[in-house]
Amino acid sequence: MSLLLPIAGVAAAVYGIYLTANGNMLGWVWLLLGVVLLVADLVIDQKWYGWIRSSEPDLNRRGAQLVGQVVVVVDAIPREGRGSVKVADTVWPAEGVEAPVGARVRISGCKDTVLRVGPA
């Protein structure tokens, strides 16, 4: 349904524009029908999005999946600055508590690709 309504709406609108350009007043009805179909599709998609809830809300949010893990600092994290931590085989930028190289810190949050860390 969500795939067919936009196709039908655009087709009706284009046909309506064609008829109107050729002087046929019935073209306005087709154009209006096309717009109504497109708006109906938007409303249906918004309602559908509200009904669907993921069973894995952190699925494509890798940083959020790491919260709570204890990791090792590979580039020192200065006060009010940014360093790096190693998570499994990947190095992530990190900020938060001041920590020297080799210190263990706990991931407390994530903003974009930067991990927030605190004492372990």
Side-chain angles (χ1 to χ4, degrees):
M1 186 72 147
S2 185
L3 295 174
L4 295 178
L5 278 178
I7 293 170
V10 169
V14 169
Y15 183 61
I17 292 170
Y18 171 76
L19 288 177
T20 304
N22 287 327
N24 188 339
M25 293 307 289
L26 190 58
W28 288 105
V29 174
W30 281 97
L31 183 60
L32 180 63
L33 175 66
V35 170
V36 167
L37 289 174
L38 290 171
V39 170
D41 179 59
L42 288 174
V43 170
I44 289 170
D45 288 347
Q46 288 296 320
K47 293 291 183 185
W48 190 10
Y49 178 74
W51 293 330
I52 296 174
R53 295 287 179 231
S54 174
S55 61
E56 297 181 55
D58 289 336
L59 185 63
N60 292 324
R61 296 177 47 212
R62 182 67 178 131
Q65 294 174 355
L66 299 174
V67 172
Q69 289 189 19
V70 176
V71 295
V72 177
V73 176
V74 291
D75 288 331
I77 303 172
R79 182 181 308 255
E80 304 294 326
R82 187 176 287 177
S84 299
V85 295
K86 185 165 181 130
V87 180
D89 63 346
T90 306
V91 176
W92 287 69
E95 58 187 23
V97 66
E98 186 175 359
V101 174
R104 297 176 63 78
V105 292
R106 184 175 305 276
I107 300 171
S108 61
C110 176
K111 182 176 183 209
D112 298 326
T113 60
V114 180
L115 300 176
R116 298 277 309 149
V117 296

